[in-house]
Amino acid sequence: MAEASEAASRIVKDATRAADIISRISLLFKKGALQRELVDVNDVIREMIVLLRGEATRHSISIRIELAEDLPKVMADPVQLQQVFMNLMLNAIEAMKEGSGGSELTIKSETDHGQVLISVSDTGVGLSPEQWNRSSKHSYDQGYRDWYGPAH
């Protein structure tokens, strides 16, 4: 009986957290000023994983996280960070969902010379050179050049 009660409590907690995330993401569609604040990026990543784990599981994609424990908070709009992480994670899931199993989405956070670095990688098939050129031009045009791009 205690196990059932504990499981029910976890379900309620996860549902409440998912509802909070969805509520904050819905703010993206409303016009308004950015709300910059100190944000724990690892918390934002964990929230997005909770929200997208079902989609990954549906396609037999495992999620691996490697989050730095001593990550400093960053000044950012948390809703915009959620949008960026959600887009990157959904793109990764999309790239792997037709795979033959063993697919993995990896999200990693670390610091390097005082900067917070986040990487989202997957074991999908990747882009053809033509697709890459279109994608990286779009990324540059959208101002996300520093978020992702070809490694040099």
Side-chain angles (χ1 to χ4, degrees), residues 17-88:
R17 189 160 68 183
D20 289 344
I21 292 167
I22 291 167
S23 174
R24 283 185 275 161
I25 290 174
S26 71
L27 293 174
L28 288 170
F29 300 102
K30 297 179 182 176
K31 298 286 183 188
L34 295 178
Q35 295 185 354
R36 295 173 58 98
E37 59 189 66
L38 281 176
V39 178
D40 183 330
V41 175
N42 285 343
D43 284 348
V44 176
I45 291 169
R46 286 185 196 100
E47 290 172 354
M48 292 300 96
I49 289 170
V50 166
L51 194 62
L52 298 175
R53 185 173 302 279
E55 183 70 11
T57 301
R58 192 172 11 267
H59 298 291
S60 302
I61 298 169
S62 63
I63 298 177
R64 182 171 55 125
I65 57 173
E66 300 173 17
L67 304 180
E69 293 181 21
D70 58 346
L71 203 66
K73 291 185 177 185
V74 298
M75 185 62 74
D77 183 314
V79 174
Q80 283 193 332
L81 282 180
Q82 288 171 338
Q83 180 185 25
V84 169
F85 293 151
M86 178 180 281
N87 287 340
L88 290 172

Side-chain angles (χ1 to χ4, degrees), residues 56 59-62 89-106 121-125:
H59 298 291
S60 302
I61 298 169
S62 63
M89 291 177 194
L90 284 172
N91 287 345
I93 291 168
E94 181 71 24
M96 295 184 291
K97 72 180 186 180
E98 301 300 325
S100 59
S103 299
E104 184 175 77
L105 168 62
T106 302
S121 59
D122 63 70
T123 57
V125 294

Side-chain angles (χ1 to χ4, degrees), residues 85-144:
F85 293 151
M86 178 180 281
N87 287 340
L88 290 172
M89 291 177 194
L90 284 172
N91 287 345
I93 291 168
E94 181 71 24
M96 295 184 291
K97 72 180 186 180
E98 301 300 325
S100 59
S103 299
E104 184 175 77
L105 168 62
T106 302
I107 302 101
K108 181 178 179 181
S109 69
E110 61 185 319
T111 58
D112 183 32
H113 296 94
Q115 293 193 357
V116 173
L117 304 177
I118 307 299
S119 68
V120 177
S121 59
D122 63 70
T123 57
V125 294
L127 299 174
S128 70
E130 181 180 293
Q131 290 170 317
W132 175 253
N133 287 334
R134 280 196 314 257
S135 172
S136 56
K137 179 185 181 328
H138 174 73
S139 301
Y140 181 80
D141 291 345
Q142 295 299 316
Y144 293 118

